[in-house]
Amino acid sequence: MKQLELTIGWLYPTLMSTYGDRGNVICLQRRCQWRNIHVSLINLDQQQPPETYQQVDLIVGGGAQDRQQAIVMSDLQGAKAHALGAKLEQGTPGVFTCGSPQLLGHYYEPKLGDTIPGLGLLDLTSKHPGANTPRCIGNIVFTITASPLAAELTTLWGDTPLVIGFENHGGRTYLGNVQPLGQVIKGYGNNGEDGLEGAFYRRAIATYAHGPLLPKNPFIADWLIQTALREKYQEEITLTKLDDSLALKAREAVLNKLNLTNRLNKA
Ligand code: GLN
């Protein structure tokens, strides 16, 4: 059997990794290593030239404070912005949390200071309603409704995926012509008004769920790995099953705490 390899690109790790988002990277690395898939990590930061984006098979972007988002956007311009956009259009899978999706949209209006223009890759806008409006903080639970993601996750996991995470954002996101990632069961999601959470475009998952997301929802981690392998090797690769009993226990504990045990399923 050939040696499988994946390269993860991590967007601006020192500027964009709030609330344990680096856990998403660690989770992907470990789930690859446990299956003997060689994994390398490239920091897509100020030091990297735009060409580096072409080497990555999977992209991770974390959350950030408003100030850090502005610094990132001053670097993620021109050829780099184009390279990231090209990867997403090609169907490179990725997971983008909180501040990252705000930057993938048209713009983000922060609490203070000038509007931060986004990359316009996702048809969404985000706006902080001001210092007097409370942040959206707490555990979040949602179902994935995006197509074909929901169906693919169900095939992978054998049950309807219920996503558990933690959100902490001041910005409110409003979707244009882009699919939501899911429907909120508990929590705020994109804006606390329309019941929608995140966005899904090509193979990019955009979400307000930190948590970190992937260790609590290992089926999303495996979908990212499997999709990245399929794209890279242009063939269907079945992942060996891992022992997720600890993750399942953690999920059960959160759902218990939120009085949602009736929603408990295998995922
Ligand atoms: N600065 C953004 C907001 O408050 C993103 C926060 C985050 O990434 N956690 O909306």
Side-chain angles (χ1 to χ4, degrees), residues 18-19 63-66 69 98-99 102 108 135 168-171 210:
T18 50
Y19 314 117
Q65 306 304 320
D66 293 4
Q69 283 177 244
C98 202
Q102 292 176 351
Y108 171 55
R135 292 176 69 81
N168 187 345
H169 52 108
H210 300 275

Side-chain angles (χ1 to χ4, degrees), residues 152-174:
E152 290 178 8
L153 287 174
T154 305
T155 307
L156 193 67
W157 193 251
D159 210 337
T160 317
L162 191 62
V163 180
I164 297 173
F166 177 81
E167 59 185 325
N168 187 345
H169 52 108
R172 271 62 166 177
T173 292
Y174 299 91

Side-chain angles (χ1 to χ4, degrees), residues 61-203:
Q65 306 304 320
D66 293 4
R67 207 170 79 81
Q68 278 74 22
Q69 283 177 244
I71 300 171
V72 166
M73 280 314 293
S74 64
D75 187 64
L76 195 49
Q77 297 284 336
K80 274 190 196 179
H82 186 78
L84 176 59
K87 288 302 281 181
L88 296 191
E89 287 296 340
Q90 272 165 35
T92 300
V95 59
F96 302 91
T97 307
C98 202
S100 295
Q102 292 176 351
L103 299 183
L104 295 180
H106 297 297
Y107 59 82
Y108 171 55
E109 276 181 41
K111 183 167 66 181
L112 295 170
D114 296 336
T115 296
I116 304 169
L119 299 175
L121 301 171
L122 303 182
D123 189 12
L124 56 86
T125 56
S126 306
K127 187 182 157 100
H128 195 299
N132 294 331
T133 311
R135 292 176 69 81
C136 303
I137 304 176
N139 287 308
I140 176 168
V141 179
F142 60 96
T143 48
I144 290 196
T145 53
S147 168
L149 181 65
E152 290 178 8
L153 287 174
T154 305
T155 307
L156 193 67
W157 193 251
D159 210 337
T160 317
L162 191 62
V163 180
I164 297 173
F166 177 81
E167 59 185 325
N168 187 345
H169 52 108
R172 271 62 166 177
T173 292
Y174 299 91
L175 304 184
N177 187 22
V178 61
Q179 287 195 81
L181 177 64
Q183 185 76 39
V184 176
I185 293 172
K186 194 102 178 177
Y188 299 90
N190 285 346
N191 50 50
E193 297 159 32
D194 59 19
L196 302 178
E197 159 50 24
F200 183 69
Y201 177 68
R202 299 285 291 129
R203 297 197 179 103

